[in-house]
Amino acid sequence: MGPGWVSSALTLVRRHIRIVNIAGAAMLIILGLLMVTGVRGRWIYELQNLSGTFLTPI
Protein backbone atom coordinates (compact mmCIF):
# COMPACT_ATOMS: atom_id res chain seq x y z
CA MET A 1 0.00 0.00 0.00
CA GLY A 2 2.65 2.54 1.01
CA PRO A 3 5.18 2.14 -1.83
CA GLY A 4 2.45 2.15 -4.48
CA TRP A 5 0.94 5.36 -3.11
CA VAL A 6 4.33 7.08 -2.99
CA SER A 7 5.17 5.94 -6.49
CA SER A 8 1.92 7.31 -7.90
CA ALA A 9 2.35 10.59 -6.02
CA LEU A 10 5.89 11.01 -7.37
CA THR A 11 4.68 10.23 -10.87
CA LEU A 12 2.10 13.01 -10.53
CA VAL A 13 4.75 15.46 -9.31
CA ARG A 14 7.14 14.50 -12.11
CA ARG A 15 4.40 14.99 -14.68
CA HIS A 16 3.68 18.52 -13.39
CA ILE A 17 7.20 19.52 -12.32
CA ARG A 18 7.13 22.82 -14.24
CA ILE A 19 4.01 23.96 -12.39
CA VAL A 20 5.53 22.85 -9.07
CA ASN A 21 8.69 24.86 -9.80
CA ILE A 22 6.77 27.97 -10.82
CA ALA A 23 4.53 27.77 -7.74
CA GLY A 24 7.56 27.38 -5.46
CA ALA A 25 9.34 30.33 -7.07
CA ALA A 26 6.23 32.48 -6.73
CA MET A 27 5.95 31.60 -3.04
CA LEU A 28 9.60 32.51 -2.47
CA ILE A 29 9.16 35.85 -4.23
CA ILE A 30 6.03 36.65 -2.21
CA LEU A 31 7.75 35.68 1.05
CA GLY A 32 10.73 37.86 0.15
CA LEU A 33 8.48 40.83 -0.56
CA LEU A 34 6.65 40.32 2.73
CA MET A 35 9.98 40.22 4.57
CA VAL A 36 11.31 43.37 2.86
CA THR A 37 8.15 45.36 3.56
CA GLY A 38 7.99 44.18 7.18
CA VAL A 39 4.53 42.64 6.82
CA ARG A 40 5.82 39.17 7.64
CA GLY A 41 7.24 40.41 10.95
CA ARG A 42 3.92 41.93 11.93
CA TRP A 43 2.08 38.72 11.02
CA ILE A 44 4.52 36.65 13.10
CA TYR A 45 4.09 39.03 16.04
CA GLU A 46 0.30 38.75 15.81
CA LEU A 47 0.50 34.94 15.61
CA GLN A 48 2.73 34.89 18.69
CA ASN A 49 0.21 37.01 20.59
CA LEU A 50 -2.60 34.74 19.44
CA SER A 51 -0.78 31.56 20.42
CA GLY A 52 0.19 33.06 23.79
CA THR A 53 -3.46 33.52 24.71
CA PHE A 54 -4.51 30.04 23.56
CA LEU A 55 -5.57 27.76 26.39
CA THR A 56 -5.91 24.03 25.98
CA PRO A 57 -9.23 22.57 27.15
CA ILE A 58 -7.57 19.91 29.30
Side-chain angles (χ1 to χ4, degrees):
M1 174 158 165
W5 178 84
V6 171
S7 177
S8 63
L10 287 176
T11 301
L12 181 71
V13 170
R14 281 190 202 116
R15 192 176 312 137
H16 301 297
I17 194 68
R18 178 141 175 86
I19 294 170
V20 171
N21 285 338
I22 291 171
M27 288 173 32
L28 283 173
I29 290 169
I30 290 169
L31 181 61
L33 289 173
L34 291 174
M35 290 173 72
V36 167
T37 59
V39 173
R40 181 185 172 268
R42 282 184 265 148
W43 283 357
I44 296 296
Y45 179 73
E46 290 299 323
L47 287 172
Q48 285 174 340
N49 284 338
L50 184 65
S51 66
T53 60
F54 179 74
L55 297 174
T56 57
I58 297 178

